[in-house]
Amino acid sequence: MERWICVICGFIYDEAVGMPEHGIAAGTRFSELPEDWMCPECGSPKSAFEVYSD
Amino acid sequence: MSATAASSGRIEIDGTVFNPYSKDFIRSPWATWEKLALEHPVAWHKDLNMWVVSSHEALNDMLKDNRFSTNYKHWEFAPPPKPYEQQNHFERAIDAGLFAVEPKEHLRLRKLTMPAFSKPVMGKIDAKIRDLITTCFDEIGSPEQFDAFTMIAEKLPVRSIARMVGVPTNMESFFHDFAVNVVKSTRINLPQKVRDQSIQETLPGFQYFLDLIKERRALPHPGEDFIGQLVAASDNGDSLNDYQIVSVIQAVIVAGSDTATDLHTYAIQGLLSNPDQYQLLAQKPELMENAIIELLRYGAFGKTPQFRFVTEDLEWRGQHFKKGQSVLLNLTAAWVDPQKWPNPRQLDIQRRLDGNLVFGAGAHFCIGTYLVRVQGGLMIQELMKRFPNAELVNGNGDVEYDYNHHNARRINRLLVKTNVEAARKAA
């Protein structure tokens, strides 16, 4: 499981957690998100995300 | 006539529909914003000589459309470009900065700077500025009443930003003046003469930071603070040059000082005007992050929020935009657009804020968003702790406005009644 950060706003998508409140189940890989999925914080496209490590 | 459909089909308005400089508007913009959002979401303003876009839906689209550029060089009235060797520090930093570079370069810069701005890093800022907030409230003491503008809003942001950037906190006025002049330098609604004067007054600030970056580069390790992180930032061998770093620093100072001033006054005004929400937040501190965004939305302190420049002739939402024209992104109108927000004039710190435009949207989403949340959250926590029964004096804090502020509906007096003595006597 990886974490992905939006380089525009810093929002972190954690695959292990998903976004259940937005209908994305825990364990959903970033690559499995729809191509038109957008950052819930700033609306940037998937291409603005990078793998994140502390 | 105040609003017309020109023979070209262009929807036009004028100063009788929307005058962001009028005292009436600054005191109470709500009816104007509602009219703009509902009746004139996209219109050419004949007096301002620019497009004004005001509805949530239209702005949400425009913010994500690269044909509307943040780069003022696309403006039809932009000064002619200068060769690099003739440019001053301001011009070089602006050219290297996030608002001027093309989308691909912008993404690269955001990627390099993000480590210094991410939520985990900003969380650590909490510990760095907490004592400043405590000191600020110690200076207030326990009076019967105090002015939230002079005692909190004017002091806290600039001190916090100085601490965060890693420079002496005794340079408050230096930073404040630098921030104000950087903003004024780029406000296309101000006369060219004012902008030129402001540019000259930014130069000592740019020189200060360029010298600091030079010092850090000479060290074996540039340091763990914000400047150190920017100097050390790298991605596959890529790094930031001096003007890129200084452009990021100036962006943070601008966002974190002058703009955050209004965050504090309007947050206090919003909470104390709605005692039920103040009490609710005290009971449920986990609502703080949502509360700050809601307070910004509700307060809507922007007067002429942001501009974009049209990069090519285009049709958009039934209107013909010409290359070089400027657009006022009337974001504060969108924050209270009744088509997006039920009961927009009501403060509800539990409101679902999905899709809000409080920090913008798309590529130029506010880089200092988490910094603002940390600073605002700490201030409100301390206010609730020290003055749990606070009210606004005479119900409205005897509020006064700086009608000449360059871009905000700046409150420059907000009197808070602490009720500390009354609580003491009751106990």
Side-chain angles (χ1 to χ4, degrees), chain A residues 3 5-12 21-22 38-45 47-50 52 54, chain B residues 64 106-107 110-111 114 118-120 235 293 352 354-356 360-365 367 369-370 373:
Chain A
R3 295 201 296 162
I5 188 167
C6 173
V7 302
I8 297 298
C9 72
F11 172 82
I12 293 171
E21 72 279 16
H22 288 88
M38 292 187 298
C39 173
E41 186 75 32
C42 71
S44 289
S47 58
F49 279 74
E50 301 262 327
Y52 178 73
D54 285 320
Chain B
K64 296 169 188 167
H106 178 263
L107 195 59
R110 292 291 289 238
K111 190 174 163 186
M114 179 42 69
S118 65
K119 192 171 185 176
D235 181 60
I293 301 171
R352 282 287 302 257
D354 297 354
N356 77 78
H364 294 278
F365 185 83
I367 201 167
T369 180
Y370 293 115
R373 297 180 207 196

Side-chain angles (χ1 to χ4, degrees), chain B residues 65-260:
Chain B
D65 191 330
N66 286 335
R67 296 174 301 172
F68 300 102
S69 171
T70 53
N71 186 352
Y72 83 107
K73 288 193 171 174
H74 289 292
W75 186 31
E76 57 192 322
F77 303 113
K82 283 185 194 170
Y84 185 81
E85 58 275 12
Q86 289 177 21
Q87 288 183 321
N88 59 33
H89 292 323
F90 170 87
E91 291 159 337
R92 289 178 184 177
I94 290 292
D95 279 2
L98 292 162
F99 284 158
V101 295
E102 296 308 312
K104 195 175 168 189
E105 174 68 0
H106 178 263
L107 195 59
R108 173 187 160 262
L109 288 180
R110 292 291 289 238
K111 190 174 163 186
L112 279 164
T113 51
M114 179 42 69
F117 286 102
S118 65
K119 192 171 185 176
V121 171
M122 286 299 130
K124 292 175 189 164
I125 294 287
D126 179 315
K128 288 189 178 178
I129 64 173
R130 189 174 284 275
D131 68 301
L132 295 176
I133 284 142
T134 309
T135 303
C136 193
F137 278 85
D138 286 346
E139 287 168 4
I140 294 171
S142 306
E144 196 171 314
Q145 66 180 52
F146 68 91
D147 181 2
F149 174 72
T150 54
M151 296 305 290
I152 297 176
E154 226 181 8
K155 290 180 178 179
L156 207 46
V158 76
R159 288 182 187 177
S160 301
I161 212 75
R163 177 71 65 83
M164 179 191 160
V165 172
V167 294
T169 50
N170 62 6
M171 295 177 72
E172 285 173 23
S173 59
F174 178 81
F175 279 111
H176 184 260
D177 292 350
F178 177 64
V180 168
N181 282 313
V182 168
V183 175
K184 289 171 80 172
S185 303
T186 57
R187 301 301 294 182
I188 63 167
N189 54 319
L190 296 177
Q192 181 72 45
K193 200 174 165 185
V194 175
R195 280 185 274 134
D196 288 343
Q197 178 65 28
S198 299
I199 287 171
Q200 290 305 312
E201 290 173 8
T202 66
L203 298 181
F206 280 110
Q207 188 62 57
Y208 175 86
F209 288 113
L210 286 165
D211 290 345
L212 200 58
I213 293 164
K214 194 175 173 186
E215 283 172 27
R216 297 298 186 90
R217 288 202 193 279
L219 297 172
H221 188 280
E224 295 294 335
D225 62 9
F226 184 69
I227 291 182
Q229 286 189 37
L230 291 173
V231 169
S234 74
D235 181 60
N236 293 325
D238 197 7
S239 61
L240 298 166
N241 67 36
D242 288 5
Y243 284 108
Q244 287 167 338
I245 293 174
V246 92
S247 73
V248 172
I249 294 170
Q250 63 93 3
V252 170
I253 290 175
V254 167
S257 56
D258 196 50
T259 308

Side-chain angles (χ1 to χ4, degrees), chain B residues 30 33-34 297-298 300 331-338 341 344-345:
Chain B
W30 319 109
W33 281 335
E34 183 171 313
R297 186 201 68 76
Y298 169 86
L331 283 160
T332 33
W335 300 353
V336 292
D337 180 350
W341 307 108
R345 295 286 313 282

Side-chain angles (χ1 to χ4, degrees), chain A residues 1-5 12-18 27-31 50-53:
Chain A
M1 291 281 121
E2 289 176 320
R3 295 201 296 162
W4 291 73
I5 188 167
I12 293 171
Y13 175 75
D14 187 335
E15 293 180 341
V17 178
T28 304
R29 299 278 186 189
F30 185 75
S31 60
E50 301 262 327
V51 174
Y52 178 73
S53 56

